[in-house]
Amino acid sequence: MTGTNHPELPLTKPVVAYVRVSTDRQGKSGLGLDAQRAALAAFVVAHGFEIVEEFTDVASGKGEDALERRPQLAKALARAKKLKCPVVVAKLDRLSRDVAFIAGLMAQRVPFIVAELGADADPFMLHIYAALAEKERALISARTRAALAPMVGRGVLGNRTNLAEASAKGRETLTAKADDFAANVLPVIREMQARGSSMRAVATELNDRNVKTARGGTWTAVQVSRILDRAA
């Protein structure tokens, strides 16, 4: 009886998973966690990884960009160091939107993989995406102030009884503009995804087509992801 040669199965590479939600209510309800876990599960299968352990933080929101306020992230770093493997997250903002905090994590000398950005996004790229996210947050804040500015002359602002109403109107204006833009660009993104394009490839094609973002800039994978999140 002759033996049969079987090709060796590819070995999976270990990773430590980290997921996070920003409020206790979200943590208890599971809102957001299932989506992150689903994204991670699909990513590791597609790229030959295996999640050996998962760590979950439920942060309060305020002051959450401090490692001592994220005990499970600290444990994930320690575990990854011991196993000499990366930490994988679904989205960059599950680590932070703050460049300084991201830089501090990079100093831990534990590699990070962000599923939405792809397995080959190096630390330099993560810094760039974090800087873009931080800038976007600042622009949103500036646009909110600009939307509220016309109310000052009418005495709406400065009147504590109307402050909540004024803030709500400002948010509604920005949200409506963002929704309109997302609705216009979404079919284009969906069509590219149907061809099998990754978010990074979609961003590249949008830039090649000279399609501008809502603020007139160039596209990144993070911005494409946010359009899809808004549609969802």
Side-chain angles (χ1 to χ4, degrees), residues 1-8:
M1 180 177 177
T2 59
T4 303
N5 293 326
H6 296 281
E8 292 186 5

Side-chain angles (χ1 to χ4, degrees), residues 86-152:
V87 172
V88 62
V89 295
K91 291 168 158 282
L92 185 61
D93 64 6
R94 295 306 83 197
L95 290 175
S96 177
R97 295 183 180 92
D98 183 79
V99 176
F101 187 73
I102 294 292
L105 292 178
M106 298 299 115
Q108 300 285 328
R109 299 190 181 280
V110 173
F112 283 91
I113 298 174
V114 180
E116 73 169 349
L117 300 179
D120 58 345
D122 59 26
F124 175 76
M125 291 180 63
L126 296 185
H127 277 89
I128 295 297
Y129 285 124
L132 289 171
E134 187 175 274
K135 180 65 174 177
E136 184 176 27
R137 183 171 57 179
L139 288 172
I140 289 172
S141 178
R143 286 174 179 265
T144 300
R145 290 194 299 270
L148 296 178
M151 301 178 186
V152 174

Side-chain angles (χ1 to χ4, degrees), residues 89-227:
V89 295
K91 291 168 158 282
L92 185 61
D93 64 6
R94 295 306 83 197
L95 290 175
S96 177
R97 295 183 180 92
D98 183 79
V99 176
F101 187 73
I102 294 292
L105 292 178
M106 298 299 115
Q108 300 285 328
R109 299 190 181 280
V110 173
F112 283 91
I113 298 174
V114 180
E116 73 169 349
L117 300 179
D120 58 345
D122 59 26
F124 175 76
M125 291 180 63
L126 296 185
H127 277 89
I128 295 297
Y129 285 124
L132 289 171
E134 187 175 274
K135 180 65 174 177
E136 184 176 27
R137 183 171 57 179
L139 288 172
I140 289 172
S141 178
R143 286 174 179 265
T144 300
R145 290 194 299 270
L148 296 178
M151 301 178 186
V152 174
R154 300 200 303 269
V156 177
L157 292 183
N159 182 345
R160 292 185 178 275
T161 60
N162 293 330
L163 186 57
E165 178 185 353
S167 298
K169 287 181 178 178
R171 288 193 299 270
E172 287 173 4
T173 299
L174 293 175
T175 299
K177 289 181 179 179
D179 285 342
D180 288 344
F181 178 80
N184 287 331
V185 76
L186 184 64
V188 180
I189 293 175
R190 293 293 193 200
E191 183 267 332
M192 294 178 190
Q193 283 190 311
R195 301 199 309 261
S197 297
S198 66
M199 288 192 216
R200 190 180 304 168
V202 169
T204 298
E205 187 168 345
L206 287 171
N207 291 329
D208 289 343
R209 292 187 185 185
N210 202 30
V211 177
K212 300 299 183 182
T213 65
R215 295 180 178 84
T218 56
W219 288 89
T220 67
V222 172
Q223 289 166 316
V224 173
S225 174
R226 285 174 182 157
I227 292 292

Side-chain angles (χ1 to χ4, degrees), residues 20-95:
R20 177 176 71 92
V21 288
S22 299
T23 67
D24 185 57
R25 183 172 61 183
Q26 287 179 336
K28 289 178 179 178
S29 68
L31 182 63
L33 291 176
D34 288 343
Q36 291 176 60
R37 287 171 178 145
L40 290 175
F43 176 82
V44 297
V45 169
H47 292 84
F49 291 105
E50 179 185 6
I51 296 174
V52 294
E53 195 164 353
E54 178 191 293
F55 295 87
T56 304
D57 268 321
V58 179
S60 63
K62 185 177 180 180
E64 66 188 31
D65 280 338
L67 201 53
E68 61 269 20
R69 295 179 183 269
R70 308 261 289 273
Q72 294 303 308
L73 177 55
K75 290 180 180 179
L77 288 168
R79 182 64 171 155
K81 278 185 180 179
K82 184 175 182 180
L83 296 175
K84 297 181 179 179
C85 72
V87 172
V88 62
V89 295
K91 291 168 158 282
L92 185 61
D93 64 6
R94 295 306 83 197
L95 290 175

